[in-house]
Amino acid sequence: MNILVIENEIYLAQKIVSRLINDGHNCDHIDLPNTDAFTKEYDVILLSTSFPFNFCNNIIKKYNENCIILLVSYISDETVTLHIKSGAKDYIMKPFIMNELIRKIHHYKECKDINKELQKLRNYFQFTMLDINTTDVLSATSFPILIETNVQKHADKLVYELSIKMALPVIFISLSAKDWQNKINAIRRTSILYLTNYHTLRKCSKENLLKIIEKKNCIISTLEEELDFPYTKVEARNEKGLLANSNIMTIPDYVKAMVTSYQHKYTDTELSKKLGISRKSLWERRKKFDIEKRVLIS
């Protein structure tokens, strides 16, 4: 990191610079209130508040996107409070242990890196969801909630938007995992529990799940129509259907998705004909993918 030390106590400044250089950082030192000395970009600025207030405040306002740590001899509005409001990140009292200053520097470097990574992930998520229109607002007034959708990404975006609205983290659990029940039982109420692949469960497993999630902030997504769900249901369908998925599905995954999504609308004869397979092959795929046969809805 590039670090600038603005400190008029020469002995202290030399000690800080020596330690930072030994730790592998590039370090410059200024001992006079002269902004002309700023010749490059710095990741961290260590600013002594023994300089005039206006000089310190101007430095902070000009470089408030940097990590600015105040080196203070005493705490007051002018040395700490007003500077923090202007954009300084933290302060440390003189005399201080050098390791504590190093810890603060690394702490804010980590925070900056995490924020960059978070923004990158948010941008990527929003980019992948550009083709999903969520004009409906998912209400959080009555958990648990079931989202019936024909495109998984549609449900994902609704849950993401709700987590932002409620300022709650989301915990993802696939119901196709063998240990889904243990994972759910370990979740606290301070999170949104998002369960996918509800349509892959057998009837007895669904009944067990409904008992477990009764008092949890839980959202479930399914690619099937669920007639017996006792809690809030929301429909989030995309007219383009599976074609809205930007990823090419494998043939087994496609067949599995078609069977789970449309077996309640077509007879086995009709469904096998549309898939270009025999009724025996349809039966074999149900058995292979552990898909419970659904009653045809007339």
Side-chain angles (χ1 to χ4, degrees):
M1 287 189 290
N2 290 330
I3 301 175
L4 176 64
V5 180
I6 308 176
E7 173 60 71
N8 54 8
E9 295 182 32
I10 302 300
Y11 175 76
L12 174 61
Q14 290 176 343
K15 185 178 179 181
I16 294 173
V17 170
S18 177
R19 172 61 188 274
L20 293 173
I21 291 176
N22 288 338
D23 286 353
H25 302 292
N26 297 317
C27 194
D28 293 331
H29 169 228
I30 296 174
D31 59 2
L32 295 173
N34 179 13
T35 56
D36 294 337
F38 286 86
T39 58
K40 60 184 177 183
E41 291 295 323
Y42 293 97
D43 301 298
V44 178
I45 296 176
L46 305 178
L47 175 60
S48 173
T49 56
S50 59
F51 288 105
F53 174 82
N54 288 336
F55 168 76
C56 294
N57 209 41
N58 288 337
I59 294 297
I60 293 169
K61 288 181 178 179
K62 185 176 181 179
Y63 297 95
N64 59 8
E65 293 185 1
N66 301 70
C67 171
I68 300 176
I69 299 176
L70 306 173
L71 310 178
V72 303
S73 299
Y74 62 94
I75 298 175
S76 69
D77 285 344
E78 287 196 351
T79 60
V80 175
T81 308
L82 296 177
H83 290 324
I84 293 292
K85 288 181 178 179
S86 295
K89 297 296 188 292
D90 202 352
Y91 70 93
I92 188 168
M93 283 281 295
K94 301 177 187 177
F96 50 80
I97 299 173
M98 194 60 63
N99 284 342
E100 179 63 14
L101 177 63
I102 300 301
R103 185 194 66 78
K104 286 180 179 288
I105 292 173
H106 285 294
H107 170 74
Y108 285 103
K109 176 64 166 58
E110 288 175 1
C111 287
K112 187 175 181 180
D113 291 343
I114 290 172
N115 286 333
K116 283 184 178 179
E117 184 68 17
L118 179 59
Q119 188 59 49
K120 182 172 65 175
L121 293 174
R122 282 177 175 168
N123 292 341
Y124 176 73
F125 180 84
Q126 291 169 358
F127 173 76
T128 60
M129 294 291 174
L130 286 176
D131 58 332
I132 301 296
N133 180 20
T134 52
T135 52
D136 337 274
V137 178
L138 183 60
S139 173
T141 55
S142 180
F143 286 108
I145 300 172
L146 176 74
I147 302 177
E148 291 181 351
T149 185
N150 59 338
V151 178
Q152 184 61 51
K153 281 173 59 177
H154 204 137
D156 295 345
K157 189 172 183 179
L158 284 173
V159 174
Y160 172 77
E161 291 175 345
L162 180 61
S163 72
I164 298 297
K165 180 181 178 182
M166 298 185 66
L168 287 176
V170 180
I171 298 176
F172 301 82
I173 297 177
S174 172
L175 294 173
S176 60
K178 294 182 179 180
D179 59 343
W180 61 262
Q181 186 168 336
N182 292 333
K183 290 181 178 179
I184 293 174
N185 288 331
I187 303 304
R188 298 180 179 179
R189 192 175 174 83
T190 52
S191 303
I192 294 177
L193 178 60
Y194 181 34
L195 308 178
T196 60
N197 297 316
Y198 183 70
H199 52 277
T200 63
L201 294 182
R202 293 184 174 276
K203 185 177 180 180
C204 59
S205 296
K206 288 181 178 179
E207 292 174 349
N208 183 35
L209 173 65
L210 295 177
K211 294 177 182 178
I212 296 174
I213 65 170
E214 182 179 3
K215 296 182 179 180
K216 293 183 180 290
N217 295 340
C218 182
I219 301 176
I220 303 171
S221 70
T222 181
L223 298 178
E224 283 189 356
E225 185 175 0
E226 301 291 340
L227 300 179
D228 301 326
F229 192 78
Y231 307 115
T232 304
K233 285 204 296 183
V234 174
E235 281 196 14
R237 301 195 178 276
N238 190 304
E239 293 181 359
K240 296 180 181 179
L242 289 172
L243 294 178
N245 192 336
S246 59
N247 298 319
I248 297 177
M249 301 178 70
T250 63
I251 292 177
D253 285 342
Y254 175 80
V255 172
K256 181 179 179 180
M258 291 296 98
V259 173
T260 55
S261 298
Y262 295 105
Q263 65 175 344
H264 62 285
K265 296 182 179 179
Y266 301 106
T267 64
D268 283 1
T269 301
E270 293 171 325
L271 186 57
S272 59
K273 185 176 180 180
K274 289 181 180 295
L275 292 173
I277 59 178
S278 65
R279 289 189 60 179
K280 180 180 179 183
S281 294
L282 177 60
W283 177 83
E284 290 173 344
R285 280 164 171 75
R286 277 203 182 101
K287 184 177 181 181
K288 178 181 178 180
F289 297 131
D290 196 24
I291 301 173
E292 182 181 9
K293 185 175 180 179
R294 305 300 300 273
V295 178
L296 181 66
I297 301 172
S298 57

